[in-house]
Amino acid sequence: QSVLTQPPSVSGAPGQRVTISCTGSRSNIGAGYDVHWYQQFPGTAPKVLIYDNTDRPSGVPDRFSGSKSGTSASLAITGLQAEDEADYYCQSYDNSLSGLVFGGGTKLTVL
Amino acid sequence: QVQLVQSGAEVKKPGASVKISCKASGYTFISYFMYWVRQAPGQGLEWMGIINPSDGDTTYSQRFQGRLTMTRVTSTGTLYMDLSSLRSDDTAVYYCARGRGSGSAQSFDYWGQGTLVTVSS
């Protein structure tokens, strides 16, 4: 069981909007720690998509956005494209574990 | 440009140890915390530990306490991850990653290519 909870899978048609949730607790997201999101394609290293809850590294399309509220965070992808089909992970810090924690990952399927 | 280049795949027997290297280049080595993250086949990401390359200070996940040792050689800009008493469930791809940001909840802005460690008798 991951400390941060994500849906195992989400799907959407090209052009649609999808969101991926990341639910934590008072010892991680709810304690105010930043949430980051990663995209991973099979056989490759993860790549940061969103850092510090809402910021995008240069080169990441503005179709990707992040938000955070209370003990949860979300990644939104608008204008879904076939190339967005990948695994997505959220990550934060947990003060009861004194370490970084990840969500279990969400597989995005573009229909 | 920033690069993290890891050593090659390893096959180990249960009970053995494995040592993986991660050579950093393209930035000031001692200026960024470094992390090790692993991913078992078909599974999610798992944080293992953090090292401050400036002074060698480390913090390990409780799951690996007593089995994990992270070190660095500043003269070559190389990190090392040593995992002992290997079990079959240590079979995974191991990544080094560079931390960015302030505070405890750093993100990872650069990753190594990953090193597959297979533990099998």
Side-chain angles (χ1 to χ4, degrees):
Chain A
Q1 244 92 334
S2 300
V3 173
L4 304 179
T5 301
Q6 298 179 234
S9 63
V10 297
S11 62
Q16 284 190 332
R17 177 181 187 270
V18 296
T19 61
I20 299 173
S21 61
C22 175
T23 303
S25 66
R26 287 181 294 180
S27 61
N28 42 68
I29 299 174
Y33 295 109
D34 288 331
V35 177
H36 319 294
W37 291 90
Y38 302 88
Q39 178 188 57
Q40 185 181 34
F41 296 105
T44 68
K47 163 192 151 183
V48 64
L49 211 53
I50 299 289
Y51 66 94
D52 296 354
N53 307 310
T54 59
D55 294 341
R56 273 188 314 276
S58 61
V60 172
D62 60 6
R63 302 186 295 105
F64 296 90
S65 63
S67 63
K68 175 187 156 186
S69 177
T71 58
S72 295
S74 287
L75 173 71
I77 310 172
T78 58
L80 207 54
Q81 299 180 4
E83 67 204 48
D84 299 331
E85 191 161 287
D87 294 325
Y88 293 83
Y89 294 89
C90 59
Q91 175 242 316
S92 186
Y93 178 86
D94 190 286
N95 59 28
S96 66
L97 297 173
S98 298
L100 300 182
V101 289
F102 285 97
T106 298
K107 181 173 180 57
L108 169 63
T109 300
V110 180
L111 302 171
Chain B
Q1 73 284 19
V2 174
Q3 282 193 304
L4 301 174
V5 180
Q6 299 183 220
S7 50
E10 303 265 9
V11 179
K12 296 292 182 180
K13 293 195 181 305
S17 297
V18 68
K19 190 169 186 175
I20 300 169
S21 66
C22 168
K23 183 166 175 57
S25 62
Y27 71 97
T28 303
F29 179 68
I30 60 173
S31 295
Y32 293 82
F33 283 50
M34 293 296 294
Y35 297 79
W36 288 91
V37 174
R38 77 176 186 179
Q39 185 171 36
Q43 303 300 309
L45 302 167
E46 180 177 25
W47 171 74
M48 299 180 69
I50 174 177
I51 182 168
N52 180 350
S54 178
D55 59 12
D57 190 33
T58 56
T59 300
Y60 303 137
S61 165
Q62 296 164 8
R63 275 176 46 84
F64 301 100
Q65 289 285 355
R67 291 205 299 142
L68 176 62
T69 304
M70 296 170 59
T71 56
R72 92 289 186 224
V73 175
T74 55
S75 60
T76 62
T78 306
L79 303 164
Y80 297 92
M81 190 280 293
D82 194 320
L83 188 62
S84 62
S85 302
L86 289 169
R87 308 183 289 254
S88 58
D89 61 359
D90 289 318
T91 294
V93 176
Y94 291 76
Y95 295 101
C96 61
R98 192 181 82 164
R100 68 151 300 284
S102 59
S104 303
Q106 289 198 317
S107 61
F108 309 123
D109 58 355
Y110 289 92
W111 296 68
Q113 82 276 21
T115 297
L116 175 62
V117 175
T118 303
V119 182
S120 174
S121 54

